[in-house]
């Protein structure tokens, strides 16, 4: 997948901030998934209705990170979201 | 808790038609218990020990022990495992931990079965620090923190732990039978009033050569609490959500630490000293403590 794909967050997911990080709980499967601060910010932006590409651009403005590296990490993160049933990709 | 217990005569465990939706594993990673949805409630099977049929409508738990388990052990299973689950079902927060009183606050030791929670709590009690629970700690939100509630005034210990920790004798050469119930008393004082919860200590596997206490990030603490809290039905999404929120608040509010130490009886006094010192010194510049 890539960042231009449409991402839909599962309605079964509950997120809670814990310190500077975020925990996602999939109510359907009972499994949980932890996010570091950048991952937490990405999830928050998706929750706000941003596309993955828009979220990437916001994060690039907020964090000192190499664009290619960030894109690769976000694509891998989306893959993790999919495998944990947290999002679907159209 | 509003459920009542009904005891049936011992019988062999029969196959359960309904598939399990959850499983517990013991310290050796063997399957120890299975959870099944049945008409009107749940069946919780402790393998080769007892079945508990939970009827939600009439709030009755029926215990069906196997012939191999004593009545006392079946009762212990009910009190230590089923009751906390039902308390959780009814909205209370109960974690899989032992707890002791140190300097007016409770320290909770969290870990899976066989990790040493009861033995460690008994060591504290033997050193004069009263215990609140040897297995299962109810937590009540209170004034920005939590109160740890006292549980039953007794321990369930294997023979070697009872001998070494409580009686101060050499452990028997061979372990036989079930755990012993050891009541609170002068040797093992009990804390009968709730105490503010001061810290959560998540027990390591015993890889460390000496007691080591390290801060645990809150997210990790939440993940551990999800694994070490009593929750009956993961398919009940509304209850699951409330449970998650309650554990998140707990992880956010109460400092969490990993505690690892060698599982040797003669080293327990050093663990007691390390944790006591840590609880007393919390607020000092360094949260990491290594104790000889």
């Amino acid at each position: 997948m890539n960042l231009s794909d449409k991402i839909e967050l599962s309605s079964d997911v509950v997120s809670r901030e814990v310190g500077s990080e975020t925990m996602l709980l999939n109510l359907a499967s009972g499994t949980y998934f932890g996010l570091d601060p950048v991952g937490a910010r990405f999830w928050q932006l998706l929750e706000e209705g941003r596309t993955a590409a828009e979220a990437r651009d916001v994060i690039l403005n907020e964090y000192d990170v190499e664009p290619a590296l960030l894109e690769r990490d976000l694509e891998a993160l989306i893959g993790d979201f999919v495998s944990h049933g947290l999002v679907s990709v159209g | 808790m509003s459920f009542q217990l009904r005891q049936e005569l011992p019988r062999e465990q029969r196959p359960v038609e309904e598939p399990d939706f959850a499983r517990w594993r013991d310290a050796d990673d063997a399957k120890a218990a299975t959870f099944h949805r049945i008409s009107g409630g749940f069946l919780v099977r402790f393998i080769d020990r007892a079945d508990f049929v939970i009827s939600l409508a009439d709030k009755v738990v029926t215990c069906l022990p196997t012939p191999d388990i004593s009545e006392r052990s079946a009762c212990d299973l009910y009190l230590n495992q089923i009751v906390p689950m039902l308390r959780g079902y009814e909205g209370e927060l109960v974690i899989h931990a032992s707890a002791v009183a140190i300097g007016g606050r409770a320290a909770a030791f969290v870990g899976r079965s066989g990790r040493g929670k009861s033995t460690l709590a008994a060591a504290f009690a033997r050193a004069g620090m009263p215990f609140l629970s040897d297995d299962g700690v109810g937590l009540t939100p209170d004034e920005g923190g939590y109160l740890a509630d006292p549980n039953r005034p007794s321990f369930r210990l294997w023979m070697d732990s009872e001998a070494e920790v409580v009686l101060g004798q050499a452990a028997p050469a061979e372990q036989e039978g079930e755990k012993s119930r050891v009541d609170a008393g002068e040797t093992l004082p009990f804390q009968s009033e709730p105490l503010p919860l001061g810290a959560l200590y998540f027990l390591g596997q015993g890889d460390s050569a000496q007691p080591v206490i390290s801060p645990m990030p809150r997210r990790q603490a939440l993940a551990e609490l999800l694994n070490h809290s009593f929750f009956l039905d993961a398919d009940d999404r509304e209850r699951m959500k409330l449970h998650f929120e309650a554990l998140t608040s707990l992880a956010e509010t109460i400092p969490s630490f990993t505690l690892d130490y060698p599982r040797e009886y003669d080293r327990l006094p050093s663990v007691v000293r390390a944790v006591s010192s840590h609880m007393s010194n919390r607020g000092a510049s360094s949260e990491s403590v290594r104790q000889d």
Side-chain angles (χ1 to χ4, degrees):
Chain A
M1 65 84 53
N2 61 62
L3 297 186
S4 61
D5 291 340
K6 181 174 162 48
I7 296 176
E8 190 169 329
L9 274 57
S10 168
S11 59
D12 287 330
V13 177
V14 182
S15 68
R16 286 293 178 271
E17 290 181 23
V18 191
S20 62
E21 299 174 304
T22 291
M23 187 75 90
L24 306 177
L25 177 67
N26 184 335
L27 293 171
S29 64
T31 56
Y32 55 85
F33 189 83
L35 296 171
D36 66 15
V38 174
R41 181 62 173 135
F42 183 58
W43 182 266
Q44 180 188 41
L45 291 165
L46 293 179
E47 277 186 322
E48 290 173 4
R50 313 278 190 130
T51 65
E54 289 168 347
R56 172 206 57 205
D57 294 341
V58 171
I59 293 172
L60 279 174
N61 273 336
E62 294 176 351
Y63 290 86
D64 180 20
V65 60
E66 190 190 313
L69 182 62
L70 176 64
E71 271 211 24
R72 191 169 64 237
D73 287 348
L74 292 182
E75 285 173 355
L77 186 57
I78 293 170
D80 286 339
F81 287 164
V82 171
S83 64
H84 282 76
L86 303 171
V87 305
S88 56
V89 176
Chain B
M1 194 195 68
S2 57
F3 283 75
Q4 292 187 330
L5 176 66
R6 179 188 299 155
Q7 185 87 14
E8 298 281 324
L9 292 174
R11 68 169 197 195
E12 297 294 342
Q13 288 180 327
R14 300 165 189 168
V16 182
E17 278 186 28
E18 296 82 353
D20 60 18
F21 65 87
R23 293 144 293 281
W24 282 1
R25 296 190 175 273
D26 60 22
D28 298 320
D29 210 33
K31 202 185 288 188
T34 55
F35 295 74
H36 308 256
R37 274 189 204 85
I38 60 173
S39 174
F42 302 93
L43 184 151
V44 181
R45 166 161 289 181
F46 294 92
I47 295 169
D48 296 329
R49 298 167 76 191
D51 287 344
F52 291 90
V53 178
I54 300 170
S55 170
L56 296 174
D58 53 17
K59 291 189 177 277
V60 170
V61 178
T62 304
C63 173
L64 300 109
T66 66
D68 301 325
I69 192 174
S70 69
E71 188 176 330
R72 187 188 69 194
S73 289
C75 182
D76 285 344
L77 271 179
Y78 172 71
L79 291 172
N80 288 336
Q81 307 298 340
I82 301 297
V83 166
M85 272 186 250
L86 293 174
R87 288 173 65 187
Y89 188 81
E90 295 188 314
E92 294 184 54
L93 182 56
V94 186
I95 59 172
H96 202 183
S98 62
V100 299
I102 303 175
R105 292 180 299 164
F109 304 114
V110 188
R112 62 194 300 188
S113 294
R115 208 34 88 83
K117 300 186 294 298
S118 299
T119 299
L120 183 58
F124 273 87
R126 194 72 177 84
M129 282 165 270
F131 72 100
L132 289 91
S133 175
D134 89 320
D135 196 358
V137 179
L139 298 172
T140 307
D142 180 72
E143 295 182 356
Y146 292 83
L147 288 177
D149 301 323
N151 203 346
R152 291 183 304 153
S154 62
F155 283 98
R156 287 178 63 248
L157 298 171
W158 292 111
M159 285 172 63
D160 53 352
S161 289
E162 183 187 5
E164 293 270 1
V165 179
V166 181
L167 303 175
Q169 300 170 357
E174 289 180 13
Q175 190 86 277
E176 292 179 4
E178 304 165 337
K179 286 185 177 181
S180 302
R181 182 184 291 173
V182 182
D183 291 328
E186 204 171 306
T187 309
L188 296 174
F190 178 68
Q191 170 67 33
S192 59
E193 296 295 322
L195 285 180
L197 179 64
L200 295 161
Y201 294 92
F202 293 84
L203 301 188
Q205 295 185 52
D207 298 330
S208 176
Q210 56 192 354
V212 176
I213 301 171
S214 302
M216 178 182 277
R218 289 187 172 93
R219 175 161 65 86
Q220 184 181 347
L222 175 55
E224 293 286 346
L225 287 168
L226 282 164
N227 286 333
H228 292 104
S229 54
F230 289 92
F231 190 78
L232 181 56
D233 185 5
D235 265 9
D236 186 332
R237 295 185 187 188
E238 201 46 47
R239 280 192 168 87
M240 174 77 116
K241 193 172 161 188
L242 292 172
H243 184 67
F244 181 53
E245 288 170 354
L247 291 179
T248 301
S249 293
L250 178 60
E252 279 274 4
T253 306
I254 302 297
S256 294
F257 305 90
T258 57
L259 165 63
D260 202 14
Y261 55 95
R263 296 307 196 268
E264 297 164 20
Y265 291 112
D266 61 358
R267 304 300 300 276
L268 282 172
S270 70
V271 183
V272 171
R273 284 195 299 273
V275 175
S276 301
S277 173
H278 186 251
M279 283 281 285
S280 298
N281 294 338
R282 279 203 49 250
S285 57
S286 171
E287 288 284 19
S288 184
V289 172
R290 206 170 273 270
Q291 178 79 38
D292 292 323

